[in-house]
Amino acid sequence: MSKVIYTARATVDGGREGRSVSGDNKLDVALAPPVELGGSGNGTNPEQLFAAGFAACFHSALKLVARKAKQSTEGPLAGASISTEGSTVAAEVGIGPLTEGVGYGLQVHLVVTLPGLDRAVAEQLVQSADQVCPYSNATRGNIAVTHAVA
């Protein structure tokens, strides 16, 4: 990274059974483990927050590459009418025990909906977004991330 443009801050008190507040107080949520992990489920959890962040980031990257691809004069997207109107990205973040070592790991599955676009164009946009998205770049080689075009 050549320079930091923005830094988000959040403070957690109580871990998975606590509270998380962003530095600007715009995010203030109660945290609770899901029932599947032995918790009450009476709050959000880090996996939900990660899913929301990844989906939002990937969707923005998708919109960016779609805008750029429409202006392309080369490659499979040349001349394509590319619109991200009505598009969505759903992130599924799974947590479970590691098969080797101690502790838990994560996996991510992104489901991208691009209504009205040819499937090949949509898949190319997803692959391009994967190269641009900061969450994709941060997780690449660290956790399993898969994509599907709905």
Side-chain angles (χ1 to χ4, degrees):
M1 194 166 39
S2 61
K3 72 177 185 175
V4 175
I5 300 170
Y6 170 76
T7 299
R9 291 175 181 78
T11 301
V12 172
D13 177 19
R16 284 182 169 271
E17 297 183 55
R19 181 173 163 229
S20 180
V21 180
S22 63
D24 61 5
N25 293 314
K26 291 182 180 178
L27 175 74
D28 186 342
V29 294
L31 301 171
V35 174
E36 296 84 350
L37 294 177
S40 68
N42 292 330
T44 192
N45 59 67
E47 293 72 36
Q48 290 173 326
L49 294 170
F50 188 67
F54 207 142
C57 188
F58 198 87
H59 197 231
S60 289
L62 187 67
K63 291 166 62 174
L64 173 72
V65 298
R67 274 194 310 273
K68 287 184 176 182
K70 189 174 183 180
Q71 297 171 354
S72 174
T73 58
E74 300 176 22
L77 301 178
S81 175
I82 298 174
S83 170
T84 56
E85 187 174 332
S87 64
T88 61
V89 176
E92 301 168 359
V93 174
I95 184 172
L98 294 171
T99 54
E100 296 179 19
V102 180
Y104 289 80
L106 298 174
Q107 67 180 29
V108 177
H109 181 61
L110 300 174
V111 179
V112 179
T113 303
L114 288 160
L117 278 187
D118 175 77
R119 184 168 196 82
V121 171
E123 288 173 351
Q124 179 62 45
L125 288 173
V126 167
Q127 292 308 310
S128 295
D130 185 57
Q131 298 305 307
V132 173
C133 174
Y135 275 66
S136 294
N137 290 331
T139 58
R140 189 173 293 109
N142 297 310
I143 65 173
V145 178
T146 57
H147 310 90
V149 174

